[in-house]
Amino acid sequence: MTPALPRTARGRLLLLLALATVVTVFTATVPLLRDWFDLRVYYGSIDTWVHHGGRIYDYRVPGTTYGFTYPPFAAVAMLPMALLDLRTAIAAALLLNLAALAVILRLLTGPEWRRHGWYGWALIACLLALFEPLRDTFSFGQVNLLLLALVLTDAALLATGRGSRAGIGIGLAAAIKLTPALFIGLLLVARRWRAAALATAVALGATALAAWVDSDASRFYWTDALWDTSRIGRLGYVSNQSVQGILARLGEPDRAVWAAAVLLILGVWALRVRRAVAAGDWTAAFALTGLAACLVSPITWVHHLVWLLPSFAVLIRTGHPRIAGALYAVLCTSVVWLWFDDASGVDGFLGSNTYAWITLGLLLWLPVGHLPSDRWTGSRSTSTTTAAPSPTAPTISPASVQAEPRFSGTAAAAAAGSVVEPGRAGAREGSSEPTGSTLAADRNPQSSSERASS
């Protein structure tokens, strides 16, 4: 039986203070800070490029072999950092990530976001602070929240009957990092040709702009850097929670095995996405695509798993808050780092890939098409009342939309939700892996970092 939450203002304040204390103690002991390692990569690359006449992909973080790994347009988008000192750039990155997170929560909760009030949002903030992918995203100075916000903006347009405007966010995200390009595939599977064409045009246009700005960097990236995974980090590093990471920890170097697994996952994804789109459930369709992208990418660091956030929203919306809470709690524990030194044996196979198993399980099982039963399915706009949100993760609220004729009324049900990429561990002895910091080595595996910006 779930204990009742306090109803008085004093009781709520005491609960929040207690929870904030637990969060502070936890984040100060279990997960260690990453010292803005990825942001230092971005800043050093841009500074070298703009102020010292160097090349984008030649920069290396001092003491490591790691540098800029994104497409050239990402560097163009980060050019404003050339006007800032490092501390100001860190502050700006923190504010941008906070703003992106606010946009994501707003899109996932829909027009009912006001119902949560200060108390509900304070609870959600405490719970989000425990989520390892989010902790690492902020502490590394990563860009994944910004990309997720761009993609979910397009999801919101599709879910609310404004699909003719969708595609720009996905195109920009795909030009900055390659993983979001799978969302263009979603648009193709959904037969949203206009949105797919717009997203592709935006991605190609941004890439062409980067080539015009620095043709040498573009030529090097697309012909050399893109295919060199050693620039990013060890495939077998425990933070890599993709299918490729699982195979690498098993000692399986055969690319054909990985390619076969990727094709199988994409086949499952396409079938499930088609079902979600047919039911007008764009929230689930985008959530499934984020899950598949994390699995098929050669490198999926723990902080990339912020792409799982829409899946938790879907679970809560479809009446599975306990499952969402349990999976969310596991993703707060940093459990995979227990196998930092040795991922052999059955326990290593199961434990070191815990986050990948969660991602795969959600891809296979995430409910799709189960929109609230009291929704009108006709062409008229309606509004409904949803159950009180669980504090475990954001919930998706209904929105009033006009159904699109081609879905024979099911598109209206899409409004049941408005919409609806981790670890530094410090340098180990004798290791050339990135530390997320240039500080002295830490014996705690969780303070070790084996990879650079990805």
Side-chain angles (χ1 to χ4, degrees):
M1 183 176 179
T2 304
L5 295 175
R7 296 183 178 277
T8 65
R10 181 180 180 183
R12 291 178 172 182
L13 182 59
L14 289 175
L15 175 61
L16 285 175
L17 289 175
L19 186 56
T21 301
V22 170
V23 169
T24 301
V25 171
F26 179 82
T27 55
T29 55
V30 177
L32 300 183
L33 298 179
R34 316 306 188 185
D35 198 29
W36 314 101
F37 181 79
D38 287 1
L39 183 63
R40 292 174 186 272
V41 172
Y42 310 152
Y43 185 86
S45 300
I46 299 302
D47 181 66
T48 299
W49 181 33
V50 174
H51 297 300
H52 302 287
R55 298 191 300 180
I56 300 171
Y57 296 101
D58 285 348
Y59 175 80
R60 296 291 184 272
V61 175
T64 79
T65 60
Y66 295 89
F68 201 78
T69 60
Y70 295 167
F73 178 71
V76 173
M78 295 176 185
L79 274 174
M81 280 199 297
L83 303 175
L84 309 174
D85 59 69
L86 179 58
R87 292 193 177 190
T88 305
I90 291 173
L94 178 61
L95 292 175
L96 283 173
N97 272 326
L98 285 171
L101 181 58
V103 170
I104 291 166
L105 294 177
R106 174 67 177 84
L107 292 172
L108 291 175
T109 54
E112 297 287 325
W113 67 275
R114 294 184 181 85
R115 291 181 55 200
H116 302 312
W118 68 270
Y119 176 61
W121 284 111
L123 286 176
I124 291 173
C126 288
L127 292 170
L128 288 173
L130 297 174
F131 191 52
E132 185 177 3
L134 271 179
R135 296 194 315 254
D136 280 355
T137 292
F138 276 91
S139 190
F140 272 120
Q142 257 285 339
V143 300
N144 294 296
L145 285 176
L146 299 173
L147 304 184
L148 181 56
L150 286 171
V151 167
L152 290 185
T153 298
D154 279 349
L157 294 174
L158 290 165
T160 54
R162 294 174 289 171
S164 61
R165 305 178 186 177
I168 297 176
I170 291 174
L172 288 174
I176 293 172
K177 287 188 72 170
L178 297 180
T179 303
L182 187 59
F183 288 91
I184 299 179
L186 164 62
L187 297 175
L188 293 173
V189 170
R191 298 185 180 181
R192 291 306 181 100
W193 312 120
R194 179 187 178 94
L198 180 58
T200 303
V202 170
L204 292 177
T207 302
L209 173 63
W212 176 76
V213 172
D214 193 331
S215 58
D216 289 339
S218 293
R219 186 181 305 109
F220 174 76
Y221 178 81
W222 295 110
T223 61
D224 189 312
L226 174 61
W227 316 103
D228 184 7
T229 57
S230 65
R231 291 178 55 88
I232 304 174
R234 279 197 302 115
L235 293 176
Y237 181 44
V238 73
S239 182
N240 184 13
Q241 293 292 306
S242 68
V243 170
Q244 181 76 293
I246 296 174
L247 294 174
R249 284 186 286 277
L250 283 174
E252 176 53 67
D254 193 344
R255 289 293 183 94
V257 175
W258 171 73
V262 166
L263 289 175
L264 180 60
I265 288 171
L266 290 178
V268 172
W269 161 77
L271 290 173
R272 304 217 68 216
V273 160
R274 284 177 64 87
R275 179 183 172 190
V277 171
D281 193 350
W282 286 101
T283 307
F286 273 74
L288 288 167
T289 305
L291 295 168
C294 289
L295 289 169
V296 303
S297 173
I299 298 287
T300 296
W301 304 129
V302 173
H303 59 259
H304 295 171
L305 298 179
V306 294
W307 291 96
L308 271 61
L309 286 175
S311 299
F312 292 111
V314 172
L315 287 174
I316 294 173
R317 183 203 69 192
T318 54
H320 300 90
R322 292 184 179 181
I323 295 175
L327 296 179
Y328 188 90
V330 173
L331 282 159
C332 293
T333 61
S334 302
V335 64
V336 296
W337 298 102
L338 295 175
W339 289 270
F340 176 85
D341 290 310
D342 183 9
S344 62
V346 176
D347 65 314
F349 175 68
L350 297 176
S352 68
N353 302 310
T354 299
Y355 297 169
W357 302 139
I358 291 176
T359 307
L360 180 60
L362 286 171
L363 177 66
L364 296 173
W365 177 80
L366 189 73
V368 299
H370 298 288
L371 302 176
S373 58
D374 55 350
R375 292 286 311 164
W376 288 82
T377 56
S379 61
R380 294 182 62 83
S381 299
T382 64
S383 62
T384 62
T385 302
T386 58
S390 162
T392 303
T395 185
I396 292 188
S397 306
S400 299
V401 301
Q402 186 72 24
E404 292 186 34
R406 65 171 298 214
F407 282 59
S408 302
T410 58
S418 308
V419 283
V420 224
E421 257 200 67
R424 174 199 92 141
R428 305 280 298 177
E429 305 144 42
S431 171
S432 62
E433 309 285 3
T435 62
S437 168
T438 55
L439 302 178
D442 193 317
R443 291 295 304 166
N444 188 328
Q446 292 187 55
S447 68
S448 301
S449 178
E450 294 217 12
R451 49 120 254 42
S453 169
S454 168

